[in-house]
Structures are given as C-alpha cells and as structure tokens.
Amino acid sequence: VQLQASGGGLVQAGDSLKLSCVASGHPSSSYAMAWFRQTPGKEREFVAAISWSGGQNDYADSVNGRFTISKFNAKNTVFLQMNSLKPEDTAVYYCAAEKGPYRLGLLPRNSYEYYYWGQGTQVTVSS
C-alpha cells in the first residue's frame, strides 16, 4: 500500500494550502482516512478524518472552521484544504488510512488505529 502526500510548502500567515494524498494498492474496499501532523519533539497530532463515503468527517478543535477534509473516491484521493493558516500550523503533515473495512460511524483520532501512512509533507507558515 502506498499513500503519496503532496502539496506542502512555505506560506505566510493567513494564506491557504491544499494537501493531497493518493492511496494505491489498499487491500480493503472501504476505509477511513485521516490527516495528522507532527513537529519535532512532539507526538503525532490528529488533524482531521473522513469516512469512506465522505459523508462524515471530524476535526481537531485547533483547525475546525479553517481546514476542510474531502475525498475523491474515484481516484482514491483525500484532500486537506487549509485556510487562514497560522504559524502554529507549521508541521510535517501525514495522511493515513485504516486497515479496513470501514466501521460505520467510527472516525478514529488515535494514530495507532491507522495502519497505513504516507511519507509526510512539510507545511511551514511564517508570521
């Protein structure tokens, strides 16, 4: 299984970025996906998650109202639209996928509940 994340970069506070993650080779036909982020010396932090259908999502309080997670099932792609970026959003962002099958109504926030991980993409927000 490969999760290929892209879209990170260096922006100024208040700017927007859109991250993408393409999943290939997943053995299950349904699975939740999520974005996490991590800064040096800190644990990986939950950002957002989305159900297989895309009809259910969940956000960390720190990004709710600024970030939007979405997905395009036809291309096994999940997106993270990040608006009104703040310096504290600076981190390496990782996409993750459950092992599957998707459990209706469950969107885990714990990193250990996600089985597959992408390589990470750096987001740096300058003040």
Side-chain angles (χ1 to χ4, degrees), residues 3 56 77 94 113 116 125:
L3 299 180
Q56 182 184 1
T77 302
Y94 297 90
E113 298 203 58
Y116 302 107
V125 185

mmCIF file with all atom_site columns, all heavy atoms in Angstrom, residues 3 56 77 94 113 116 125:
data_model
loop_
_atom_site.group_PDB
_atom_site.id
_atom_site.type_symbol
_atom_site.label_atom_id
_atom_site.label_alt_id
_atom_site.label_comp_id
_atom_site.label_asym_id
_atom_site.label_entity_id
_atom_site.label_seq_id
_atom_site.pdbx_PDB_ins_code
_atom_site.Cartn_x
_atom_site.Cartn_y
_atom_site.Cartn_z
_atom_site.occupancy
_atom_site.B_iso_or_equiv
_atom_site.pdbx_formal_charge
_atom_site.auth_seq_id
_atom_site.auth_comp_id
_atom_site.auth_asym_id
_atom_site.auth_atom_id
_atom_site.pdbx_PDB_model_num
ATOM 1  N N   . LEU A 1 3   ? 0.706   5.516  0.194  1.00 0.00 ? 3   LEU A N   1
ATOM 2  C CA  . LEU A 1 3   ? -0.002  6.773  0.382  1.00 0.00 ? 3   LEU A CA  1
ATOM 3  C C   . LEU A 1 3   ? 0.973   7.874  0.002  1.00 0.00 ? 3   LEU A C   1
ATOM 4  O O   . LEU A 1 3   ? 1.993   8.062  0.670  1.00 0.00 ? 3   LEU A O   1
ATOM 5  C CB  . LEU A 1 3   ? -0.474  6.946  1.830  1.00 0.00 ? 3   LEU A CB  1
ATOM 6  C CG  . LEU A 1 3   ? -1.448  5.913  2.374  1.00 0.00 ? 3   LEU A CG  1
ATOM 7  C CD1 . LEU A 1 3   ? -1.810  6.238  3.822  1.00 0.00 ? 3   LEU A CD1 1
ATOM 8  C CD2 . LEU A 1 3   ? -2.704  5.852  1.536  1.00 0.00 ? 3   LEU A CD2 1
ATOM 9  N N   . GLN A 1 56  ? -19.077 11.716 6.344  1.00 0.00 ? 56  GLN A N   1
ATOM 10 C CA  . GLN A 1 56  ? -18.816 12.005 7.751  1.00 0.00 ? 56  GLN A CA  1
ATOM 11 C C   . GLN A 1 56  ? -17.382 12.474 7.908  1.00 0.00 ? 56  GLN A C   1
ATOM 12 O O   . GLN A 1 56  ? -16.470 11.914 7.281  1.00 0.00 ? 56  GLN A O   1
ATOM 13 C CB  . GLN A 1 56  ? -19.052 10.749 8.590  1.00 0.00 ? 56  GLN A CB  1
ATOM 14 C CG  . GLN A 1 56  ? -18.860 10.942 10.078 1.00 0.00 ? 56  GLN A CG  1
ATOM 15 C CD  . GLN A 1 56  ? -19.006 9.640  10.850 1.00 0.00 ? 56  GLN A CD  1
ATOM 16 O OE1 . GLN A 1 56  ? -19.239 8.586  10.279 1.00 0.00 ? 56  GLN A OE1 1
ATOM 17 N NE2 . GLN A 1 56  ? -18.865 9.720  12.165 1.00 0.00 ? 56  GLN A NE2 1
ATOM 18 N N   . THR A 1 77  ? -8.333  9.478  -3.530 1.00 0.00 ? 77  THR A N   1
ATOM 19 C CA  . THR A 1 77  ? -7.588  10.661 -3.113 1.00 0.00 ? 77  THR A CA  1
ATOM 20 C C   . THR A 1 77  ? -8.320  11.389 -2.003 1.00 0.00 ? 77  THR A C   1
ATOM 21 O O   . THR A 1 77  ? -9.537  11.545 -2.057 1.00 0.00 ? 77  THR A O   1
ATOM 22 C CB  . THR A 1 77  ? -7.393  11.615 -4.301 1.00 0.00 ? 77  THR A CB  1
ATOM 23 O OG1 . THR A 1 77  ? -6.716  10.924 -5.347 1.00 0.00 ? 77  THR A OG1 1
ATOM 24 C CG2 . THR A 1 77  ? -6.567  12.822 -3.887 1.00 0.00 ? 77  THR A CG2 1
ATOM 25 N N   . TYR A 1 94  ? 0.946   14.245 7.673  1.00 0.00 ? 94  TYR A N   1
ATOM 26 C CA  . TYR A 1 94  ? 0.903   12.871 7.211  1.00 0.00 ? 94  TYR A CA  1
ATOM 27 C C   . TYR A 1 94  ? -0.532  12.457 6.900  1.00 0.00 ? 94  TYR A C   1
ATOM 28 O O   . TYR A 1 94  ? -1.442  12.761 7.680  1.00 0.00 ? 94  TYR A O   1
ATOM 29 C CB  . TYR A 1 94  ? 1.441   11.924 8.283  1.00 0.00 ? 94  TYR A CB  1
ATOM 30 C CG  . TYR A 1 94  ? 2.891   12.131 8.650  1.00 0.00 ? 94  TYR A CG  1
ATOM 31 C CD1 . TYR A 1 94  ? 3.252   13.002 9.667  1.00 0.00 ? 94  TYR A CD1 1
ATOM 32 C CD2 . TYR A 1 94  ? 3.902   11.434 7.979  1.00 0.00 ? 94  TYR A CD2 1
ATOM 33 C CE1 . TYR A 1 94  ? 4.584   13.190 10.012 1.00 0.00 ? 94  TYR A CE1 1
ATOM 34 C CE2 . TYR A 1 94  ? 5.238   11.617 8.320  1.00 0.00 ? 94  TYR A CE2 1
ATOM 35 C CZ  . TYR A 1 94  ? 5.564   12.503 9.331  1.00 0.00 ? 94  TYR A CZ  1
ATOM 36 O OH  . TYR A 1 94  ? 6.882   12.671 9.669  1.00 0.00 ? 94  TYR A OH  1
ATOM 37 N N   . GLU A 1 113 ? -4.645  3.640  15.444 1.00 0.00 ? 113 GLU A N   1
ATOM 38 C CA  . GLU A 1 113 ? -5.773  2.995  14.771 1.00 0.00 ? 113 GLU A CA  1
ATOM 39 C C   . GLU A 1 113 ? -5.682  3.093  13.254 1.00 0.00 ? 113 GLU A C   1
ATOM 40 O O   . GLU A 1 113 ? -6.531  2.568  12.544 1.00 0.00 ? 113 GLU A O   1
ATOM 41 C CB  . GLU A 1 113 ? -7.088  3.602  15.252 1.00 0.00 ? 113 GLU A CB  1
ATOM 42 C CG  . GLU A 1 113 ? -7.320  3.394  16.739 1.00 0.00 ? 113 GLU A CG  1
ATOM 43 C CD  . GLU A 1 113 ? -8.789  3.464  17.130 1.00 0.00 ? 113 GLU A CD  1
ATOM 44 O OE1 . GLU A 1 113 ? -9.584  2.676  16.593 1.00 0.00 ? 113 GLU A OE1 1
ATOM 45 O OE2 . GLU A 1 113 ? -9.122  4.327  17.965 1.00 0.00 ? 113 GLU A OE2 1
ATOM 46 N N   . TYR A 1 116 ? -1.862  2.370  7.643  1.00 0.00 ? 116 TYR A N   1
ATOM 47 C CA  . TYR A 1 116 ? -1.001  2.777  6.538  1.00 0.00 ? 116 TYR A CA  1
ATOM 48 C C   . TYR A 1 116 ? -0.724  4.274  6.626  1.00 0.00 ? 116 TYR A C   1
ATOM 49 O O   . TYR A 1 116 ? -1.621  5.074  6.937  1.00 0.00 ? 116 TYR A O   1
ATOM 50 C CB  . TYR A 1 116 ? -1.666  2.455  5.194  1.00 0.00 ? 116 TYR A CB  1
ATOM 51 C CG  . TYR A 1 116 ? -2.012  0.997  5.013  1.00 0.00 ? 116 TYR A CG  1
ATOM 52 C CD1 . TYR A 1 116 ? -3.329  0.569  5.084  1.00 0.00 ? 116 TYR A CD1 1
ATOM 53 C CD2 . TYR A 1 116 ? -1.019  0.057  4.778  1.00 0.00 ? 116 TYR A CD2 1
ATOM 54 C CE1 . TYR A 1 116 ? -3.656  -0.767 4.922  1.00 0.00 ? 116 TYR A CE1 1
ATOM 55 C CE2 . TYR A 1 116 ? -1.332  -1.284 4.619  1.00 0.00 ? 116 TYR A CE2 1
ATOM 56 C CZ  . TYR A 1 116 ? -2.642  -1.696 4.688  1.00 0.00 ? 116 TYR A CZ  1
ATOM 57 O OH  . TYR A 1 116 ? -2.961  -3.026 4.530  1.00 0.00 ? 116 TYR A OH  1
ATOM 58 N N   . VAL A 1 125 ? 4.495   27.863 7.982  1.00 0.00 ? 125 VAL A N   1
ATOM 59 C CA  . VAL A 1 125 ? 3.740   29.112 7.943  1.00 0.00 ? 125 VAL A CA  1
ATOM 60 C C   . VAL A 1 125 ? 4.552   30.179 8.663  1.00 0.00 ? 125 VAL A C   1
ATOM 61 O O   . VAL A 1 125 ? 4.807   30.057 9.875  1.00 0.00 ? 125 VAL A O   1
ATOM 62 C CB  . VAL A 1 125 ? 2.356   28.955 8.598  1.00 0.00 ? 125 VAL A CB  1
ATOM 63 C CG1 . VAL A 1 125 ? 1.554   30.244 8.439  1.00 0.00 ? 125 VAL A CG1 1
ATOM 64 C CG2 . VAL A 1 125 ? 1.599   27.778 7.998  1.00 0.00 ? 125 VAL A CG2 1
#
